[in-house]
Amino acid sequence: MSMERKKEMGGVQSVVTGEELERINTFAKRALTADEVYTFAVKLCDNQIDRDGERFTRETLGELAELFVGKSGIFDHDWSAREQTARIYRTEVVETEERTKAGDAYCYLKGYAYMLRTEKNASLISEIEGGIKKEVSVGCSVAKSVCSVCGGEIGLCGHEKGKTYDGKLCFAELSGALDAYEWSFVAVPAQPRAGVMKRYGMAEHGTLRELVSKLGSRAEARELERLEKQAELGRTYLKELRRDVRCLMLTAEESFDGALIGKMTEKLDEAELKELQRVYGKKSAQVMGVQLCYGGEERSAGDESDFRV
């Protein structure tokens, strides 16, 4: 019996070498140039126990590696030609020294994807590089879902995923890859580590600072330092802005939950925070009974004509 599975995992652009371009062009109708393609790496899936209490075996990852070459990248598993965005042109299973929850060596399936540098794809490329589009999910089919406790078919053997039996955690091992359908950008992956990888093409240099230290000039090092200082000032400014907005909202609405407000403001950008600051600045001033001035005309805080939201 085969089973369909959607398993998820959430790049710095790489330099497209001649060998990589040759692989990419096996999927193109005409020969593409390096300037026409954008490439990035994705961690498709791994052998860690995921949120569903399931995991791929090392052998299954190897089988999926072959099956995922040439498969399309889409959005939210919407099997529509309109959603085709990128394509995997090669894969590899990466071994690590880390251990999984099951106690064996952690490994993952790494896919190398390409997409065309078109006007239509420009915003998606920016979102990938900016870390917005990151998490991915794979759609595939496997032959077996094996219970880690007894080796029987999970769901039929009587053991429940997530529970411990005589000191042994129950989870399902997905084995016998039959097919790979697609991989999708998603919002919430079942496999927390899946997604666009951050250091494809420059892993040997480490962080940006390490890269500039090794390969950059003094002028580039000074420019990086200047940008880091500006970034720190920006972080400080946003932190203070968020704190100010939280205070104004709690002053204006006593029923608000402080913890919830804190979580909400952490996700907002400057423009959104400034708008809340404007709106709740007026509301809190009204609550405090402060006289407000608009265009030179002083009004009582009791005048509600300027406090419509």
Side-chain angles (χ1 to χ4, degrees):
M1 178 181 65
S2 69
M3 291 160 287
E4 182 178 336
R5 282 288 187 271
K6 286 186 173 65
K7 285 294 151 191
E8 304 122 19
M9 292 212 73
V12 175
Q13 173 198 354
S14 71
V15 176
V16 183
T17 65
E19 181 180 354
E20 299 289 282
L21 192 60
E22 186 176 345
R23 289 175 181 265
I24 290 170
N25 276 321
T26 61
F27 303 101
K29 190 172 181 179
R30 67 170 179 83
L32 300 171
T33 66
D35 292 336
E36 292 179 287
V37 297
Y38 170 83
T39 60
F40 57 99
V42 288
K43 187 179 286 187
L44 293 167
C45 47
D46 60 21
N47 66 336
Q48 184 65 277
I49 303 170
D50 62 25
R51 294 188 179 104
D52 297 327
E54 301 175 335
R55 74 164 189 159
F56 293 107
T57 66
R58 168 62 180 82
E59 292 74 17
T60 306
L61 291 178
E63 295 163 353
L64 288 173
E66 297 181 14
L67 294 172
F68 267 106
V69 174
K71 294 303 186 290
S72 295
I74 55 178
F75 295 92
D76 297 315
H77 300 292
D78 183 357
W79 290 15
S80 166
R82 294 189 303 273
E83 298 299 322
Q84 286 181 292
T85 303
R87 193 174 296 278
I88 298 290
Y89 64 91
R90 73 178 175 94
T91 60
E92 64 176 317
V93 177
V94 179
E95 310 278 356
T96 75
E97 296 182 357
E98 187 180 345
R99 311 303 291 182
T100 68
K101 295 177 182 177
D104 55 351
Y106 173 75
C107 58
Y108 60 89
L109 176 56
K110 181 177 180 180
Y112 298 82
Y114 80 94
M115 58 192 298
L116 298 180
R117 287 184 173 276
T118 62
E119 183 177 347
K120 176 184 175 182
N121 289 337
S123 60
L124 176 57
I125 291 173
S126 296
E127 289 179 331
I128 290 173
E129 291 194 330
I132 305 302
K133 287 293 187 296
K134 180 180 178 182
E135 292 77 13
V136 303
S137 161
V138 299
C140 63
S141 178
V142 298
K144 296 180 180 180
S145 181
V146 179
C147 174
S148 62
V149 176
C150 67
E153 183 73 18
I154 199 77
L156 300 178
C157 64
H159 296 117
E160 187 176 340
K161 291 185 293 185
K163 290 189 176 182
T164 301
Y165 300 88
D166 295 325
K168 192 170 186 179
L169 177 65
C170 177
F171 57 88
E173 290 199 322
L174 307 178
S175 63
L178 299 176
D179 200 357
Y181 310 129
E182 44 76 18
W183 54 281
S184 296
F185 284 106
V186 296
V188 182
Q191 292 191 326
R193 298 189 181 189
V196 175
M197 301 182 70
K198 295 184 177 179
R199 290 207 272 182
Y200 170 54
M202 58 178 289
E204 68 271 23
H205 302 302
T207 65
L208 178 59
R209 173 163 285 283
E210 291 169 343
L211 177 63
V212 171
S213 176
K214 292 178 181 179
L215 303 180
S217 64
R218 290 185 177 179
E220 289 170 333
R222 287 195 295 271
E223 177 65 10
L224 177 60
E225 184 176 355
R226 183 183 69 81
L227 291 174
E228 287 177 336
K229 289 181 178 179
Q230 287 184 348
E232 182 58 35
L233 288 173
R235 285 191 290 269
T236 301
Y237 163 70
L238 284 176
K239 182 178 180 180
E240 293 176 349
L241 181 58
R242 288 189 175 98
R243 182 169 58 238
D244 183 45
V245 169
R246 287 196 297 269
C247 290
L248 291 173
M249 293 180 72
L250 291 172
T251 300
E253 303 286 350
E254 293 184 358
S255 61
F256 279 168
D257 183 294
L260 184 61
I261 293 298
K263 290 180 180 179
M264 183 191 76
T265 55
E266 286 298 323
K267 299 178 181 180
L268 302 181
D269 60 24
E270 181 193 15
E272 294 166 329
L273 289 167
K274 293 288 287 184
E275 178 62 16
L276 286 178
Q277 186 184 51
R278 182 188 70 80
V279 172
Y280 284 99
K282 290 181 179 181
K283 283 180 169 289
S284 62
Q286 182 184 21
V287 170
M288 299 297 291
V290 176
Q291 293 290 323
L292 303 176
C293 183
Y294 303 93
E297 179 185 356
E298 187 176 273
R299 301 181 186 180
S300 166
D303 182 355
E304 297 184 359
S305 61
D306 291 293
F307 296 102
R308 299 190 183 95
V309 181

